[in-house]
Amino acid sequence: MERSFKTEVEALRLGEGAVFRGEGILAVTKALLQSGVSYVGGYQGAPVSHLLDVLVDAEDMMAELGVHLETGTNEASAAAMLGASINYPLRGAVTWKSIVGTNVAADALSNLASPGVIGGAMIILGEDYGEGASVIQERSYAYAMKSSMWLLDPRPDLPTIVRCVEQGFELSEASHAHVMMALRIRACHVTGEFIARDNRPGRYSALNRLLGPPRFDYARLSHPPVTFIHERLKVEDRMPAAQAFIRERKLNELIPGDLDDIGIVVMGGLANSVLRALERLGLADIFGASRVPMLVLNVVYPLVPEELTAFCAGKRAVLAVEEGHPEYIEHALNVELRRADLQTRVLGKGPLPKAGEYTAEVLLNGLAAFLAEARPSGLDTEAIVGRVRGIVGHRPKVAAALGELPARPPAFCTGCPERPVFSAIKLVQREIGPTHISADIGCHSFGTLPPFSLGNSILGYGMSLASAAAVGPNMDRRSIAVMGDGGFWHNGLITGVASNLFNQGDGVLIVMQNGYTSATGQQYMPSSTAGRGGEAPRMDVETTLRGMGVKWLRKVRTYSVATMMATLKEAMRTAERGLKVIIADGECQLARQRRVRAEDAEKLKRGERVVRTRYGVDEDICTGDHSCIRLSGCPSLTIKPNPDPLRTDPVTTVIDSCVGCGLCGEVAHAAVLCPSFYRAELIRNPNWWDSVVAAWRHRVVAALGGYVPNGTA
């Protein structure tokens, strides 16, 4: 989940000559405002969901500049915004998470890339690749190549990022092509400083509107027969113009070095990691100087042949540092060198692994392997290899000493309203047998992990119902699709619901209605109770489904496990054919806690009564079976030693992180478990009635021979 930038956005007002300090994503936002954009937009999604969040937080500031902000319901709608730059001199930028977001936007991107642009157009991508990724392991490079859109991969320091944003718009306009800029997670969160410039309004904006459309020009459409001309323009006009701009503006960086018979060609986003690895080998310093010459590609597509050949001329070997597969840059480098009749040897995948994130250890081993094979003059490569062994050699010893660390997979938050739904499904399957569960992208995808392990497929955001289309007709019982309200509006309404109704499908859909796009930071969506301007968008999942023609529809409070079980059994067993939808209604607990804590703090300031609900376990009744833990998986449920010396099984206990959602008691009731859970109310600023009831309870318990700590109620 991303943090708030409401305080930091004030730094976006800094003017000419001021020093801007902050995170990478704030630097991107500041660069957009300095570039004179007319519109911005995008779709929420880590790792750059907070770019859109920052833009929303800065909406008042952008309004002063006449910048229009659009929060799209999916990436395709965001990409289509860039159509404004096809016919008009309007600079615009949109953002989403890649690669999955780029997949959704692919149709729009192809049609955008065909006619090209007049105004600068930029797509800022969260390049979610590597061990910290939340999506499938693919890259955006292929999209840039297939559509002839230029791909920036800036070195992760703030001056370079800002320069790439500003000159990216100029590159777009000079070549009449869209520009993509990939930001890895570390680039989003890198901190630093740069010299700011004044924010400026776009050439045309809400402050200076266009006076109608231009004269009709069929060539601006992505439609045959002009698409054949567009294809030629991409290759013969736009790409040469882009390469000339990249070369003249020196967007790519050259770092000289004295070991000039070898070199490194590196993607900009990996440059700092490579320099750090070289520094640990004694071949670079902390300020970015390197003994090994480096060509840093802040623009990874298109490559500039003259830059590649000039860098490699006279070198015996170069190392191409490029994450992921296929190795596009390594292939292109080989082609350009052979065309120029240069026999420089190109190494890449070999010293470096073919797939996976290039971490510090990976780069150390890869550089050592490259140096050992290239053997540059004036360098003791055996000493370098020995140094690497010394740096990483302690790892096996540490691993052996610590033993295997326990797995810590992601899980539902404490009190998450989606957890009880999976408890209900698990209990229902005990009675009706297992069935196919189509999982989906979002918080509910954690239901695929223990203790639930429910989910046979995840095929895209909002696609759970569609992915079950061919399963149901070939199985002896109905399948269950799980979809969030975010996924419903993103894609599920058309791809899933409309398709299912059109084809007269017969399955069960559970829509998790928690009120936010929760997994990426509680952003608003069409059915939220409030929008970014404070007013509700006035759209509703239930009304929409009924309007689409869904006849069998139930709305159930998620924490009511018994009711959810009964509803699920009815949906699975009814003779009525057709789509059956259960709306599992429960506000995201993180958002609720933020709201409730602020409300309670204000009440306490005013001296008003505040009640906090907590649950506990009576250790004298707990049997030590721990079915409650296996059926709910709540992080607040754990075990402790049994206080009874005659019983060896540890008992269940509730720790302080409990938010009082009541799931533990609900599961114990629905599954007919031991009645060991109790509910308590912690009252601050009690009223007179609370005091009377507390005193009465003290007397009753004392009369029964029990003990009540003084002051509790």
Side-chain angles (χ1 to χ4, degrees), residues 15-48:
E16 189 72 39
V19 178
F20 184 103
R21 296 182 177 89
E23 286 197 17
I25 220 63
L26 282 164
V28 172
T29 312
K30 175 60 174 165
L32 291 174
L33 298 181
Q34 292 178 174
S35 299
V37 291
S38 299
Y39 63 95
V40 292
Y43 183 76
Q44 300 98 334
V48 289

Side-chain angles (χ1 to χ4, degrees), residues 238-505:
R238 296 180 198 166
M239 184 173 288
Q243 290 169 328
F245 184 94
I246 295 164
R247 186 173 60 252
E248 292 165 6
R249 297 295 182 92
K250 293 182 171 53
L251 291 182
N252 296 324
E253 301 174 59
L254 178 62
I255 300 176
D258 64 281
L259 299 173
D260 55 6
D261 56 341
I262 61 169
I264 298 173
V265 178
V266 58
M267 303 176 79
L270 296 172
N272 287 1
S273 299
V274 171
L275 282 167
R276 169 58 175 152
L278 289 172
E279 187 267 333
R280 296 180 75 184
L281 298 178
L283 299 176
D285 63 27
I286 60 173
F287 302 104
S290 171
R291 291 194 62 195
V292 181
M294 291 175 59
L295 177 60
V296 179
L297 299 175
N298 292 316
V299 184
V300 292
Y301 186 79
L303 298 173
V304 181
E306 296 88 345
E307 289 185 346
L308 299 178
T309 54
F311 177 75
C312 294
K315 291 180 170 52
R316 292 191 293 108
V318 294
L319 177 68
V321 183
E322 173 187 12
E323 264 180 339
H325 179 82
E327 53 272 31
Y328 300 115
I329 295 174
E330 186 177 343
H331 290 165
L333 190 54
N334 271 301
V335 169
E336 294 303 333
L337 293 182
R338 301 298 90 80
R339 281 176 177 168
D341 198 23
L342 292 175
Q343 302 309 309
T344 305
R345 188 180 178 194
V346 178
L347 294 92
K349 306 300 185 185
L352 291 163
K354 290 185 177 181
E357 185 177 7
Y358 284 0
T359 60
E361 185 174 346
V362 167
L363 287 172
L364 281 171
N365 287 322
L367 287 169
F370 166 69
L371 293 170
E373 190 161 351
R375 294 193 174 277
S377 59
L379 184 66
D380 185 352
T381 55
E382 294 298 329
I384 293 293
V385 172
R387 190 164 186 169
V388 171
R389 290 199 192 102
I391 293 173
V392 302
H394 69 284
R395 290 184 177 272
K397 297 177 184 177
V398 172
L402 293 177
E404 186 175 352
L405 295 176
R408 295 189 63 188
F412 293 108
C413 299
T414 302
C416 175
E418 299 179 357
R419 188 190 303 276
V421 178
F422 290 99
S423 296
I425 295 174
K426 199 166 185 177
L427 289 168
V428 166
Q429 287 197 343
R430 287 182 175 182
E431 185 174 337
I432 69 173
T435 190
H436 178 84
I437 307 290
S438 291
D440 211 326
I441 301 296
C443 295
H444 38 276
S445 63
F446 295 146
T448 60
L449 298 169
F452 305 112
S453 301
L454 295 171
N456 301 98
S457 64
I458 297 179
L459 290 176
Y461 196 23
M463 295 186 187
S464 58
L465 184 57
S467 70
V471 176
N474 292 286
M475 188 170 285
D476 64 349
R477 66 198 65 181
R478 290 173 176 135
S479 61
I480 298 174
V482 180
M483 182 188 301
D485 44 2
F488 175 85
W489 294 114
H490 175 275
N491 203 357
L493 177 61
I494 299 300
T495 304
V497 175
S499 180
N500 188 282
L501 294 172
F502 181 68
N503 288 282
Q504 300 179 350

Side-chain angles (χ1 to χ4, degrees), residues 481-679:
V482 180
M483 182 188 301
D485 44 2
F488 175 85
W489 294 114
H490 175 275
N491 203 357
L493 177 61
I494 299 300
T495 304
V497 175
S499 180
N500 188 282
L501 294 172
F502 181 68
N503 288 282
Q504 300 179 350
D506 181 40
V508 179
L509 170 64
I510 301 174
V511 179
M512 302 285 196
Q513 181 171 271
N514 62 30
Y516 305 87
T517 306
S518 297
T520 55
Q522 285 93 53
Q523 293 93 354
Y524 296 120
M525 60 185 173
S527 55
S528 296
T529 55
R532 72 172 196 253
E535 295 183 0
R538 296 190 179 88
M539 285 178 269
D540 179 74
V541 173
E542 182 177 359
T543 303
T544 302
L545 287 168
R546 293 194 186 280
M548 293 283 287
V550 175
K551 300 291 191 297
W552 198 104
L553 193 150
R554 308 285 189 271
K555 188 174 182 179
V556 181
R557 178 178 174 270
T558 61
Y559 295 105
S560 303
V561 177
T563 305
M564 182 64 71
M565 287 176 60
T567 308
L568 271 168
K569 284 188 280 188
E570 180 189 356
M572 295 295 289
R573 289 171 170 170
T574 180
E576 181 181 343
R577 291 193 59 79
L579 179 63
K580 283 154 278 291
V581 181
I582 302 171
I583 298 177
D585 187 51
E587 183 184 8
C588 170
Q589 190 65 233
L590 282 180
R592 182 181 179 277
Q593 287 300 312
R594 286 175 174 173
R595 175 174 55 79
V596 169
R597 284 170 184 164
E599 292 171 354
D600 287 349
E602 289 300 318
K603 288 180 181 178
L604 290 172
K605 286 180 182 178
R606 296 192 296 267
E608 296 179 13
R609 180 177 183 267
V610 172
V611 180
R612 181 186 173 197
T613 302
R614 289 290 305 275
Y615 283 80
V617 175
D618 189 330
E619 55 196 33
D620 292 329
I621 300 175
C622 177
T623 64
D625 175 69
H626 308 140
S627 293
C628 51
I629 295 176
R630 292 193 296 272
L631 286 171
S632 76
C634 178
S636 292
L637 282 180
T638 186
I639 58 174
K640 70 175 184 179
N642 200 312
D644 189 340
L646 299 179
R647 297 163 62 196
T648 58
D649 291 332
V651 295
T652 301
T653 188
V654 181
I655 59 177
D656 288 340
S657 60
C658 173
V659 295
C661 70
L663 172 59
C664 48
E666 285 280 342
V667 166
H669 169 72
V672 197
L673 303 177
C674 62
S676 57
F677 287 94
Y678 63 83
R679 180 177 182 271

